[in-house]
Amino acid sequence: MAKIEEVKANVEKGKAKLVPGLVQEALDEGSAAGDILQIMVDAMGVVGERFSSGEIFVPEMLMAAKAMSKGVEVLKPHMAGDSSTNLGTCIIGTVKGDLHDIGKNLVAMMVESAGFTLVDLGVDVSTEKFIDAVKTNENVTLVACSGLLTTTMPAMKDTVAALKSSGLNGFKVIVGGAPVTEQFASEIGADGYAQDAGSAAVKAKQLVNAA
Ligand code: B1M
């Protein structure tokens, strides 16, 4: 089996100790960092399907998430773009009630690579915390909200509404995550939407007029 396939199989099995070494071996074997990342995203899709069908439970999902995060750490230096430009500060977080952070972390990595200074608020971020971060950080040009649960989409809506009515300005709001669509983003008044981490970086640059 090619190393990249072993990466996928071991993310699915949640082998956090094995995955970093396998990612390195896949890179050494000549696999592109983007392809290794995509195969890990695919592995998480398989994990999600197994969870939906009752084949696995939350602990197994958690182990797979840890394995993927460890693999991404090895990939990170290989994914970095030209961050010599300064596009201002991006505040990023997963919205209140939501603990999923892998997609948010990938978006953070790509947006940082695009030239933003990153302030990562983590997961389960309240509206107030997003607003405080805009107030207390310098030159905030972008706020990025991630959400993976249909049940936390209202929290995303509330956050965008609060940011827009806060009286604060100089920044744009981008939203994304599996249940989020372009239509939902527009309905809740976000300035931008992206489907994946790569397009989030492109959209982020467009929003601050740097593309
Ligand atoms: Co949960 N989970 N989970 N989970 N989990 C999902 C999301 C689910 C689809 C699984 C399923 O049922 N098939 C389902 C949601 C169903 C729904 O709402 N429609 C679900 C559920 C139900 C739950 C719990 C409720 C389970 C329970 O307790 N009974 C619970 C909720 C906890 C909470 O948040 N309050 C829960 C818990 C967990 C774990 C903690 C165990 C773990 C997360 C660990 C972690 O993140 N550190 C977990 C995991 C791992 C998953 C799956 C399997 C994988 C998520 C993932 O990391 N994907 C997931 C199934 C799936 O996604 N197929 C599932 C890989 C990642 C790269 O993709 O995050 O989609 P993603 O990010 C993408 C895009 O969405 C986009 O870019 C990324 C790709 O480049 N993107 C953005 C993301 N944010 C963006 C922001 C942007 C732009 C793009 O701009 C700002």
Side-chain angles (χ1 to χ4, degrees):
M1 199 194 290
K3 286 296 161 199
I4 192 165
E5 292 297 335
E6 285 188 47
V7 170
K8 182 168 188 279
N10 282 279
V11 168
E12 286 172 19
K13 286 190 234 158
K15 299 284 184 192
K17 286 199 177 133
L18 289 182
V19 168
L22 288 169
V23 168
Q24 188 56 57
E25 287 175 41
L27 286 167
D28 295 344
E29 218 178 56
S31 292
D35 292 343
I36 302 172
L37 182 61
Q38 186 55 50
I39 214 155
M40 291 198 284
V41 172
D42 293 347
M44 296 309 282
V46 172
V47 170
E49 282 162 23
R50 288 185 184 153
F51 175 75
S52 293
S53 65
E55 207 182 315
I56 61 165
F57 301 96
V58 169
E60 286 93 340
M61 273 208 293
L62 205 47
M63 283 160 67
K66 192 172 173 195
M68 175 159 179
S69 298
K70 293 279 176 196
V72 170
E73 278 173 31
V74 179
L75 282 185
K76 201 172 173 184
H78 300 271
M79 303 289 296
D82 171 23
S83 53
S84 55
T85 43
N86 183 0
L87 302 180
T89 299
C90 169
I91 308 287
I92 191 165
T94 304
V95 297
K96 188 155 182 59
D98 202 324
L99 303 177
H100 297 84
D101 68 356
I102 297 182
K104 183 264 296 167
N105 292 344
L106 292 181
V107 172
M109 184 171 87
M110 298 304 285
V111 166
E112 189 170 27
S113 301
F116 287 85
T117 301
L118 238 289
V119 175
D120 188 344
L121 303 178
V123 296
D124 192 19
V125 181
S126 66
T127 296
E128 297 74 28
K129 208 167 166 193
F130 273 109
I131 289 179
D132 278 356
V134 175
K135 283 183 187 159
T136 54
N137 286 280
E138 275 178 24
N139 192 22
V140 175
T141 52
L142 190 71
V143 178
C145 304
S146 175
L148 260 284
L149 296 172
T150 43
T151 49
T152 54
M153 289 169 82
M156 184 175 274
K157 182 181 177 189
D158 292 347
T159 299
V160 174
L163 283 162
K164 291 289 176 186
S165 62
S166 64
L168 297 162
N169 46 41
F171 63 90
K172 295 286 168 65
V173 181
I174 180 170
V175 296
V180 180
T181 60
E182 180 120 49
Q183 191 188 340
F184 177 74
S186 138
E187 275 167 18
I188 65 173
D191 301 298
Y193 158 79
Q195 194 177 2
D196 57 38
S199 39
V202 172
K203 191 74 192 179
K205 279 168 121 182
Q206 283 170 358
L207 287 174
V208 303
N209 295 322

